[in-house]
Amino acid sequence: MNYFPDEVLEHVFDFITSHKDRNSVSLVCKSWYKIERYSRQRVFIGNCYSISPERLIARFPGLKSLTLKGKPHFADFNLVPHDWGGFVYPWIEALAKSRIGLEELRLKRMVVSDESLELLSKSFVNFKSLVLVSCEGFTTDGLAAIAANCRFLRELDLQENEVDDHRGHWLSCFPESCTSLISLNFACLRGEVNLGALERLVSRSPNLKSLRLNRAVPLDTLQKLLMRAPQLVDLGIGSYVHDPFSEAYNKLKIAIQRCKSIRSLSGFLEVAPHCMSAIYPICGNLTFLNLSYAPGLHGNKLMKLIQHCRKLQRLWILDCIGDKGLGVVALTCKELQELRVFPSDPFEAGNAAVTEEGLVLVSAGCPKLNSLLYFCQQMTNAALITVAKNCPNFIRFRLCILDPIKPDPVTNQPLDEGFGAIVQSCKGLKRLSLSGLLTDQVFLYIGMYAEQLEMLSIAFAADSDKGMLYVLNGCKKLRKLEIRDCPFGDAALLEDVGKYETMRSLWMSSCEVTLGGCKSVAEKMPSLNVEIIDESEQMEFNLDDKQKVDKMYLYRTLVGHRKDAPEYVWIL
Amino acid sequence: MSSENGKRLLETDAGGLNFEATELTLGLPGEPRVTSDGGAKLGSKRGFSETVDLKLGDNNREVKLGHSLQEAAKSPVSKTQVVGWPPVRGFAKRGKKSCKYVKVAVDGAPYLRKVDLEIYNSYQQLLTSLEDMFSCFTIRNYLNEKKIEQVNGIEYMPTYEDKDGDWMLVGDVPWQMFVESCKRLRLMKSSEAVGLGLTTGPKYSSTN
């Protein structure tokens, strides 16, 4: 089999970068496995409990970049208790003890303590990049340690984390000798920052390409920063409130015009809408615009801004854009690939929310659309069928009707046919989220047509176990299934337990599965961890197998039961 | 107001499924409750209750409602939310929680306007904006002791109603305190205000 020396194969493998492909390569034969594991630098672990740090280190001694994900997706919506798990400390501890020269760490939905950040900052001389997404458990003290100790830091990217802000000093902890920053994103921090330190840091970072500021950075500082970093490619504006007749505003206009490389714009965490014209000069080159944190921007001002953005490929917006505004998007943004429309008033039916009309307009005007997240007032089957026809290239289709069991308001029918059209037309669909009134029928369609589907999110849908069975039987590539408030019980859960070993995880909450059913799965499949999350303490007193389980999370693992589960988590 | 209605309905309906009493409205307090009898405009303010109503008569269907929805439907309070719905991460950060709209009335104008106090950082910005909005009037600008060009000869004093229901002159308290306590604004004709003895300027300048 092996006609080439190892070095040649290694060189060939260098060109193979996708995790999936490298995994496949390692399965070909023993020698390829060996060569691949020694040359592997980047590892992605989708569930931190599926493997242990020791085994990771043993297999990939050349590891430089590690991506870890912790809590299940529904943790984003407060369905998972805070201390359920996903602690990064053991990983950092193990890596620190080993000879691994870690350079990059990317974490999502993990619990990160200041201790772990400090240990991280002191243990890896060449550490370059820290990306934390939807994490929690740390304070700005931990960030101070990273700033102070990581001499060659290139990237510090904090996205939507819950950070206890001890106010401002962490930025001053970057030493004068630190000039290597390429990316700095602290938009999610709520506290004050030392503006002088920020200005000096940006001044001495000639390679800075991405800068996302938090709310506490005022306009005049923004102007100074832009003057010092006209090479920025990605900008996140903090506060954008000022007097349009002021000197600061004039200076800002000049500064922005110098920034000819900006392709991505976000933030506007505080915004005075009458001052958006200063931004127009850079709009024509934007490929990504994120206004989802700017509820103050709507109506004509918003539409005018969008009309300048002809090259937009990704747009994240609030639903106060309205259907009319989406019409403007449809006319202007012909290169649009990804659209996310977030609710500005999730619990109150907003008067400027979007409906099926806006979506239809965008689908007609933007033929390259392939990724959608859409929170809306209502949806019709007719609209979904039209969208499916207009945009057969969807990879991600996530629809959230704010009233979760709302039928088609025109026909009063469930939305089965509409979603059915989507899965039938979009042959490359990998991710789907459903909402609205749905029966078992939609799942029949999904099982039949969604051949590439990898992730499915279901809420308040279906009539019976058949729904879940259609999906489990039909979707061969399914990796993640998350279900809440559906009438799926033990019969569906137990039909094909072997299937779960081919998937990363299954989440079921407020369904009909019983303790007995879950125990049965655990018994039959030792390669799965079956967790019952029950904060109400019912489980302690009532171990009746017929008891319905409130929250069940099961996932495949190579390392058995985890040892760090809190009291209210039972691993069967 | 809506909770009173809810109570009444609960009392009058002894047995059976009383969907009206459990009706959830997603409207603002004080607004008329939207009913499910078709009177509601399609697409506006439909709460969980209305979709629950649609399932009336189909007992099988009712059983299959997710537990969370059943729980929500049982609550008599006018606004109940299902945990984790809608599935938005950190929506509080994006949503209108940090905006404060107050009505602005101008003596003599046939309609009111609304402004979001959160987008301003100072009294100066607010007054400038109000001037833009009501460009046919002039607003007496105490703060910098300068008189704005009078267009039609009428000057207005910016006043506001605070949490206690008292009418105050704009500018006496620090800006943030004003934002928190202001319930609505009224531009009062200066001639009226003189009669009230409001001759001394406010304590806080535009820099606060």
Side-chain angles (χ1 to χ4, degrees), chain A residues 7-69:
Chain A
E7 299 78 42
V8 173
L9 277 172
E10 204 179 298
H11 184 65
V12 172
F13 290 173
D14 272 349
F15 293 99
I16 302 170
T17 46
S18 109
H19 296 292
K20 280 191 189 145
D21 290 341
R22 290 207 74 125
N23 292 346
S24 306
V25 157
S26 68
L27 292 173
V28 168
C29 63
K30 277 195 188 153
S31 93
W32 280 36
Y33 177 89
K34 190 176 123 209
I35 298 166
E36 198 282 319
R37 72 176 258 257
Y38 279 109
S39 64
R40 178 95 136 216
Q41 292 187 342
R42 315 180 68 88
V43 174
F44 170 88
I45 296 176
N47 173 5
C48 64
Y49 291 118
S50 61
I51 191 71
S52 71
E54 290 74 27
R55 285 180 66 161
L56 170 75
I57 293 165
R59 180 168 169 190
F60 300 115
L63 182 67
K64 289 205 162 62
S65 163
L66 176 62
T67 303
L68 278 173
K69 292 190 179 180

Side-chain angles (χ1 to χ4, degrees), chain B residues 123 127 142-143 157-160 162 167-179 181 197-206 208:
Chain B
Y123 286 113
L127 291 178
Y142 273 125
L143 302 168
M157 301 263 298
T159 65
Y160 71 101
D162 73 358
W167 285 93
M168 321 281 292
L169 181 67
V170 166
D172 279 337
V173 300
W175 170 254
Q176 271 309 327
M177 198 185 290
F178 163 74
V179 171
S181 60
L198 290 173
T199 47
T200 45
K203 289 191 330 225
Y204 280 84
S205 70
S206 57
N208 276 326

Side-chain angles (χ1 to χ4, degrees), chain B residues 16-55:
Chain B
L17 294 162
N18 181 9
F19 281 105
E20 267 187 279
T22 59
E23 196 171 306
L24 303 168
T25 59
L26 298 180
L28 296 169
E31 287 190 11
R33 294 176 69 117
V34 175
T35 58
S36 61
D37 60 0
K41 196 166 56 157
L42 270 180
S44 71
K45 301 194 184 175
R46 290 184 65 127
F48 295 138
S49 60
E50 288 157 293
T51 41
V52 165
D53 279 347
L54 287 168
K55 296 168 183 244

Side-chain angles (χ1 to χ4, degrees), chain A residues 76-79 134 160 162 190 215 241-243 271 273 292-293 295 298 318 342-349 375 377-378 400-407 409 412 435 437 439 459-460 463 484-485 487 510-512, chain B residues 26-28 42-48 51-52 54-55 61 63-69 79 81-91 93-99 101 116 118-121 124-125 128-129 132:
Chain A
D76 282 355
F77 319 131
N78 300 324
L79 288 175
S134 303
E160 306 210 9
E162 297 281 334
R190 282 179 261 225
R215 222 184 148 102
V241 179
H242 53 88
D243 183 348
V271 62
S292 64
Y293 283 97
H298 49 260
L318 285 171
F342 294 94
S344 45
D345 259 331
F347 295 132
E348 303 195 24
F375 285 83
Q377 280 293 98
Q378 61 182 48
C400 178
I401 303 168
L402 289 174
D403 178 347
I405 47 173
K406 186 166 176 147
N412 247 5
S435 60
L437 186 64
T439 71
F460 305 104
D463 304 313
R484 63 165 294 182
D485 293 275
S510 304
C511 296
E512 305 289 315
Chain B
L26 298 180
L28 296 169
L42 270 180
S44 71
K45 301 194 184 175
R46 290 184 65 127
F48 295 138
T51 41
V52 165
L54 287 168
K55 296 168 183 244
R61 169 68 76 199
V63 163
K64 272 127 198 177
L65 279 181
H67 298 149
S68 318
L69 275 186
K79 235 202 258 192
Q81 291 145 16
V82 174
V83 175
W85 193 268
V88 190
R89 180 179 167 79
F91 76 89
K93 292 181 211 156
R94 348 176 99 97
K96 290 189 174 161
K97 252 187 159 186
S98 70
C99 85
Y101 276 96
D116 177 5
E118 288 282 341
I119 67 169
Y120 307 109
N121 279 344
Q124 185 61 56
Q125 287 180 3
T128 307
S129 187
D132 278 345

Side-chain angles (χ1 to χ4, degrees), chain A residues 540-556:
Chain A
E540 273 189 33
F541 303 111
N542 183 3
L543 292 171
D544 177 9
D545 277 4
K546 291 201 200 65
Q547 169 89 2
K548 293 236 177 86
V549 159
D550 188 37
K551 293 176 184 168
M552 179 206 73
Y553 179 54
L554 63 81
Y555 51 89
R556 67 180 176 192

